[in-house]
Amino acid sequence: MPSISCRCIFLSIIVYTCQYSRIRLATMASEGKQNPMKDIKVDKLILNCCVGESGDRLTRAARVLEQLTGQQPVYSKARYTLRSFGIRRNEKISVHVTVRGEKALEILERGLKVKEYELLQQNFSETGNFGFGINEHIDLGIKYDPTTGIYGMDFFVCLTRAGARVSRRKIRQSRVGFAHRIKKEDAIKWFQDKFEGVVLAKASSTVFKSRIFHGNTPTSTH
């Protein structure tokens, strides 16, 4: 009997919690408020600078990222050998750094300012993340140093919602529901609302010409 009564109490608590949540969501919808669990925020910003070779150029690229973020960058190695590019397996060819919090938003806004707050639809992934590249790091407000040179870099932005941790935690791991996942349309809408940005269907002729001039990859050095 005690076990049955405990089950009844437990079920009644669950029913009451569900009803309270539905009433609260209905009240917020009638008042024009959004569910705070649906708010999108920047989880992390990854800055990547691929040089294609080890040595002084890679060291200078790491110095640029450290000057930009104030953090110690991490070196990445080649996965396999490419003789045509002169790359050996396990050779350090790029450097990257991960930034979170307010600093990530600050650096992201500086990068979007270089792009004039214009991105393409193909910059956004189906999982709600987006990325873009710049050709010259001095456009971010860093003073030009002749001994360092000019480097381009890639920006990768990972967006998240509250509660996404349940899919990564070790204890009582669960899956994020489909309605709570960030989709491509959600990321585009967040970008437009947060930065008043413009999302183009395809690149304009001026952008195409600049890519031809600067090189196909945004991480080319000059």
Side-chain angles (χ1 to χ4, degrees), residues 144-205:
Y144 173 70
D145 187 1
T147 60
T148 302
I150 297 178
Y151 289 86
M153 63 185 65
D154 299 318
F155 285 66
F156 299 101
V157 184
C158 296
L159 302 178
T160 186
R161 278 187 174 131
R165 177 180 164 272
V166 297
S167 62
R168 300 190 298 268
R169 63 189 182 187
K170 294 182 179 180
I171 302 176
R172 299 181 65 86
Q173 192 176 60
S174 181
R175 60 183 287 273
V176 179
F178 181 77
H180 199 67
R181 298 175 189 172
I182 302 178
K183 306 173 187 62
K184 182 176 182 178
E185 295 76 14
D186 300 331
I188 292 176
K189 186 176 183 304
W190 176 86
F191 167 69
Q192 292 173 340
D193 296 341
K194 180 75 174 178
F195 300 101
E196 297 181 358
V198 178
V199 179
L200 305 175
K202 59 181 181 179
S204 60
S205 59

